[in-house]
Amino acid sequence: MTLKQKVYARYQQLVSDKIDAFRDMISALSEDAQNDAKSSAGDKHETALSMMHLEQEKLNLKLAECLEQKAILDKIDPESTNDKVVLGSLVVANGIHLFLSAALPKVVIDGVSILALSPQSPLGSKLVGKSIGGVAEVNTSTYTIERIS
Protein backbone atom coordinates (compact mmCIF):
# COMPACT_ATOMS: atom_id res chain seq x y z
CA MET A 1 0.00 0.00 0.00
CA THR A 2 1.45 3.38 -0.99
CA LEU A 3 1.69 6.34 1.37
CA LYS A 4 -1.07 8.09 -0.61
CA GLN A 5 -3.38 5.08 -0.18
CA LYS A 6 -2.62 4.96 3.57
CA VAL A 7 -3.32 8.70 3.87
CA TYR A 8 -6.59 8.33 1.99
CA ALA A 9 -7.67 5.35 4.12
CA ARG A 10 -6.80 7.20 7.36
CA TYR A 11 -8.83 10.27 6.37
CA GLN A 12 -11.76 8.10 5.23
CA GLN A 13 -11.70 6.35 8.63
CA LEU A 14 -11.36 9.63 10.54
CA VAL A 15 -14.35 11.22 8.76
CA SER A 16 -16.48 8.05 9.08
CA ASP A 17 -15.73 7.88 12.81
CA LYS A 18 -16.75 11.54 13.24
CA ILE A 19 -19.99 10.95 11.30
CA ASP A 20 -20.83 7.94 13.51
CA ALA A 21 -20.06 9.91 16.68
CA PHE A 22 -22.25 12.87 15.67
CA ARG A 23 -25.11 10.55 14.69
CA ASP A 24 -24.85 8.81 18.08
CA MET A 25 -24.89 12.15 19.93
CA ILE A 26 -27.89 13.39 17.94
CA SER A 27 -29.74 10.14 18.60
CA ALA A 28 -28.98 10.32 22.33
CA LEU A 29 -30.21 13.92 22.48
CA SER A 30 -33.45 12.96 20.72
CA GLU A 31 -34.04 10.17 23.22
CA ASP A 32 -33.30 12.52 26.13
CA ALA A 33 -35.77 15.06 24.75
CA GLN A 34 -38.49 12.41 24.38
CA ASN A 35 -37.89 11.06 27.88
CA ASP A 36 -37.85 14.57 29.31
CA ALA A 37 -41.11 15.41 27.53
CA LYS A 38 -42.82 12.49 29.27
CA SER A 39 -41.64 13.38 32.75
CA SER A 40 -41.71 17.18 33.03
CA ALA A 41 -43.87 20.22 32.66
CA GLY A 42 -43.42 23.95 33.16
CA ASP A 43 -40.77 26.58 32.48
CA LYS A 44 -37.78 24.45 33.47
CA HIS A 45 -38.95 21.79 31.07
CA GLU A 46 -39.31 24.30 28.21
CA THR A 47 -35.82 25.71 28.87
CA ALA A 48 -34.27 22.24 28.93
CA LEU A 49 -35.99 21.30 25.68
CA SER A 50 -34.82 24.54 24.04
CA MET A 51 -31.24 23.90 25.12
CA MET A 52 -31.40 20.33 23.78
CA HIS A 53 -32.83 21.59 20.51
CA LEU A 54 -30.02 24.16 20.13
CA GLU A 55 -27.41 21.50 20.87
CA GLN A 56 -29.04 19.19 18.33
CA GLU A 57 -28.89 21.94 15.68
CA LYS A 58 -25.17 22.46 16.36
CA LEU A 59 -24.54 18.72 16.05
CA ASN A 60 -26.54 18.58 12.81
CA LEU A 61 -24.36 21.35 11.35
CA LYS A 62 -21.19 19.49 12.33
CA LEU A 63 -22.62 16.28 10.87
CA ALA A 64 -23.40 18.08 7.60
CA GLU A 65 -19.82 19.38 7.48
CA CYS A 66 -18.47 15.85 7.96
CA LEU A 67 -20.78 14.50 5.25
CA GLU A 68 -19.44 17.18 2.88
CA GLN A 69 -15.87 16.11 3.72
CA LYS A 70 -16.82 12.48 3.06
CA ALA A 71 -18.35 13.45 -0.30
CA ILE A 72 -15.08 15.17 -1.27
CA LEU A 73 -13.03 12.13 -0.20
CA ASP A 74 -15.37 9.82 -2.12
CA LYS A 75 -14.47 11.70 -5.35
CA ILE A 76 -10.80 10.79 -4.92
CA ASP A 77 -9.18 7.72 -6.48
CA PRO A 78 -6.23 6.93 -4.17
CA GLU A 79 -4.60 4.78 -6.85
CA SER A 80 -4.52 7.45 -9.56
CA THR A 81 -1.34 9.33 -10.35
CA ASN A 82 -1.08 12.65 -12.10
CA ASP A 83 1.78 14.84 -13.28
CA LYS A 84 -0.12 17.94 -12.15
CA VAL A 85 -1.63 18.75 -8.77
CA VAL A 86 -5.34 17.84 -8.66
CA LEU A 87 -7.92 16.89 -6.02
CA GLY A 88 -6.49 13.81 -4.29
CA SER A 89 -2.83 14.58 -4.99
CA LEU A 90 -0.28 13.94 -2.28
CA VAL A 91 2.21 16.75 -2.80
CA VAL A 92 5.61 17.25 -1.23
CA ALA A 93 6.57 20.92 -1.22
CA ASN A 94 9.49 22.26 0.82
CA GLY A 95 9.60 18.88 2.59
CA ILE A 96 5.97 19.24 3.74
CA HIS A 97 3.48 16.52 2.75
CA LEU A 98 0.16 18.01 1.63
CA PHE A 99 -2.95 16.00 0.72
CA LEU A 100 -5.33 17.98 -1.48
CA SER A 101 -8.81 16.97 -0.37
CA ALA A 102 -10.79 18.70 2.35
CA ALA A 103 -9.56 20.76 5.28
CA LEU A 104 -8.93 17.99 7.82
CA PRO A 105 -6.67 17.57 10.86
CA LYS A 106 -2.99 16.69 10.51
CA VAL A 107 -2.19 12.97 10.68
CA VAL A 108 1.08 11.07 11.06
CA ILE A 109 1.51 7.93 8.94
CA ASP A 110 4.72 5.88 8.95
CA GLY A 111 6.43 8.77 10.76
CA VAL A 112 5.40 11.30 8.09
CA SER A 113 3.21 14.28 9.03
CA ILE A 114 0.48 14.91 6.48
CA LEU A 115 -1.52 18.13 6.23
CA ALA A 116 -4.86 17.91 4.42
CA LEU A 117 -5.98 21.08 2.71
CA SER A 118 -8.79 21.99 0.41
CA PRO A 119 -8.22 23.13 -3.17
CA GLN A 120 -10.00 26.37 -2.18
CA SER A 121 -7.50 27.20 0.58
CA PRO A 122 -4.89 29.89 -0.17
CA LEU A 123 -2.07 27.35 -0.66
CA GLY A 124 -4.28 24.68 -2.25
CA SER A 125 -5.59 27.07 -4.90
CA LYS A 126 -2.03 28.09 -5.82
CA LEU A 127 -0.87 24.46 -6.08
CA VAL A 128 -3.70 23.14 -8.27
CA GLY A 129 -2.58 22.63 -11.88
CA LYS A 130 1.14 22.99 -11.12
CA SER A 131 3.75 20.32 -11.96
CA ILE A 132 6.94 19.18 -10.22
CA GLY A 133 9.22 22.19 -9.89
CA GLY A 134 6.24 24.53 -9.86
CA VAL A 135 6.22 27.35 -7.35
CA ALA A 136 3.33 28.58 -5.21
CA GLU A 137 3.61 31.77 -3.20
CA VAL A 138 1.36 32.43 -0.23
CA ASN A 139 1.90 35.59 1.81
CA THR A 140 5.68 35.66 2.31
CA SER A 141 6.29 31.91 1.88
CA THR A 142 7.34 30.23 -1.35
CA TYR A 143 6.56 26.54 -1.85
CA THR A 144 8.37 24.51 -4.52
CA ILE A 145 6.76 21.23 -5.56
CA GLU A 146 9.22 18.37 -5.18
CA ARG A 147 6.95 15.36 -5.71
CA ILE A 148 3.36 14.58 -6.71
CA SER A 149 1.64 11.24 -6.17
Side-chain angles (χ1 to χ4, degrees):
M1 190 183 262
T2 66
L3 180 60
K4 180 178 173 180
Q5 290 168 330
K6 289 179 184 179
V7 169
Y8 177 78
R10 174 75 59 88
Y11 279 121
Q12 277 282 29
Q13 187 63 52
L14 190 115
V15 171
S16 291
D17 289 349
K18 284 168 87 177
I19 288 169
D20 290 344
F22 286 128
R23 284 186 173 149
D24 289 347
M25 287 188 263
I26 290 166
S27 176
L29 264 179
S30 294
E31 285 177 31
D32 287 350
Q34 287 173 350
N35 291 338
D36 197 39
K38 293 175 187 169
S39 64
S40 300
D43 290 344
K44 285 182 183 177
H45 166 70
E46 295 300 322
T47 303
L49 274 179
S50 292
M51 295 302 283
M52 279 189 229
H53 185 69
L54 286 172
E55 190 61 29
Q56 199 169 10
E57 283 180 18
K58 282 186 213 169
L59 290 173
N60 278 320
L61 286 172
K62 289 181 180 178
L63 175 61
E65 186 180 305
C66 288
L67 289 170
E68 279 180 39
Q69 291 170 338
K70 181 162 180 23
I72 291 168
L73 287 172
D74 287 344
K75 292 178 187 173
I76 295 170
D77 176 5
E79 293 171 23
S80 72
T81 54
N82 212 312
D83 58 348
K84 291 187 184 265
V85 178
V86 296
L87 180 69
S89 291
L90 181 61
V91 179
V92 180
N94 297 7
I96 303 167
H97 287 74
L98 307 163
F99 184 58
L100 233 69
S101 57
L104 293 163
K106 178 176 90 171
V107 295
V108 177
I109 298 171
D110 298 338
V112 178
S113 292
I114 315 287
L115 298 173
L117 59 138
S118 85
Q120 294 79 27
S121 68
L123 179 55
S125 64
K126 300 266 172 90
L127 288 172
V128 171
K130 296 228 186 318
S131 304
I132 294 174
V135 175
E137 290 185 34
V138 178
N139 297 329
T140 57
S141 301
T142 301
Y143 298 88
T144 304
I145 300 171
E146 300 161 17
R147 201 165 60 237
I148 302 170
S149 58

